[in-house]
Amino acid sequence: MGFFKRNYDKPGPGVSKDEPQKNAFLRFWEIYFRKFFSLSKVNMLFAIPTIICLVLITFIQSILPNGPFSFLTNYLLVLIFPFLGGLTYVCRNYAREEHAFIFSDFVDAVKANWKQFLGNGFISVTLYTLLYIAINYYQSQLSNSWFFYIPFALCVILAILAIFAEFYIPVMIVTFNLKLRQIYKNAFIFAIMGLWRNILILFIFGVVWFIFEFISYWIVIHLLVSAIVSFFFLFSFFGFLINFAVYPLIDQFMVQPAKNQNKPQIEKNESEEDNEPTFRDSLY
């Protein structure tokens, strides 16, 4: 399925409804540069708690002895996840060419969704830790028996699908009134349905990582450059990229069906938790 397939933006004032839409690739950069300074601001809002959390993890790891349970400090990364709600909400609105109040919407999205983002954080850290251990173990056993190729391949596939699912989980949390298990179910479905766009997002991640590695070899002050880029641009760029890429799929298969059923907003119902998706297009 195409990366930028399907149009979901609203024409601005004065744009004729008959005017042909611009190429989606061009629209991406047009919106990004139009919202560049706003995205930089929301990037800083997300970067500040992220930096504090990473400093805390580094400090705790420095005072704790290395041992079999030293990986537990990784769970401090969960503290970053609620702030992902604010970043996602603002980036989603910009990707849909809708307005967002940078600070107030960021804070309100964090307050409204922090429980589910914390839950997702604990699940994600646990899953990735177990997969990392399993992949390393089965890889070390490949030379002993061909049988280990089976669990090794399954773990690698699951890890890739889990990464793809993470592209969809945050935007579904800020958009729908769904239980976390329903969000995970939908996210893994989208991880397969949107395979090509997911691969392309991952490829762009890889390109950016390669650029940072290239900088580290040629620029003496690469740490300073990396810090500046991360603080002002990096998080919001990927937040906008992911939302621009994945929201059309969510809109097509979840938002529009809910609207077509004349149910633009449905309260969460315990007895109907497996029914149609519950749409919440605002924080309120």
Side-chain angles (χ1 to χ4, degrees), residues 1-188:
M1 188 170 292
F3 179 29
F4 296 113
K5 192 174 182 180
R6 185 178 176 82
N7 169 48
Y8 55 87
D9 65 305
K10 292 182 180 179
V15 177
S16 171
K17 64 180 181 179
D18 297 323
E19 182 177 334
Q21 293 295 325
K22 295 181 180 179
N23 177 275
F25 178 80
L26 297 178
R27 284 181 50 247
F28 171 84
W29 291 109
E30 178 185 306
I31 299 171
Y32 178 77
F33 286 117
R34 189 197 319 148
K35 297 292 185 179
F36 182 78
F37 291 107
S38 296
L39 286 168
S40 296
K41 293 175 184 177
V42 76
N43 193 94
M44 288 186 281
L45 285 175
F46 181 77
I48 291 172
T50 299
I51 291 171
I52 294 173
C53 183
L54 294 178
V55 170
L56 178 62
I57 293 174
T58 303
F59 173 73
I60 293 177
Q61 288 178 337
S62 67
I63 63 176
L64 290 179
N66 291 327
F69 299 104
S70 59
F71 72 90
L72 291 176
T73 56
N74 293 335
Y75 277 93
L76 292 174
L77 290 170
V78 171
L79 299 175
I80 300 175
F81 276 73
F83 300 98
L84 186 60
L87 178 69
T88 300
Y89 184 85
V90 175
C91 289
R92 185 208 67 175
N93 277 22
Y94 288 163
R96 299 195 305 189
E97 296 198 64
E98 296 177 356
H99 178 70
F101 294 101
I102 298 171
F103 183 79
S104 60
D105 281 348
F106 184 96
V107 173
D108 288 343
V110 172
K111 291 180 179 178
N113 302 286
W114 68 270
K115 290 183 180 179
Q116 284 191 308
F117 274 99
L118 275 181
N120 178 46
F122 277 107
I123 293 171
S124 297
V125 173
T126 301
L127 178 61
Y128 294 137
T129 300
L130 292 176
L131 286 172
Y132 175 80
I133 295 172
I135 288 173
N136 277 288
Y137 171 75
Y138 291 127
Q139 186 178 30
S140 67
Q141 299 298 316
L142 293 179
S143 59
N144 296 330
S145 173
W146 64 268
F147 174 79
F148 288 102
Y149 278 94
I150 299 175
F152 174 76
L154 290 176
C155 287
V156 170
I157 293 172
L158 179 58
I160 294 173
L161 289 178
I163 293 173
F164 288 167
E166 286 293 339
F167 297 157
Y168 298 86
I169 291 171
V171 67
M172 281 197 285
I173 290 178
V174 302
T175 305
F176 299 97
N177 284 320
L178 292 173
K179 291 183 179 297
L180 197 56
R181 67 179 182 84
Q182 294 173 284
I183 290 174
Y184 269 85
K185 175 184 175 181
N186 292 332
F188 275 94

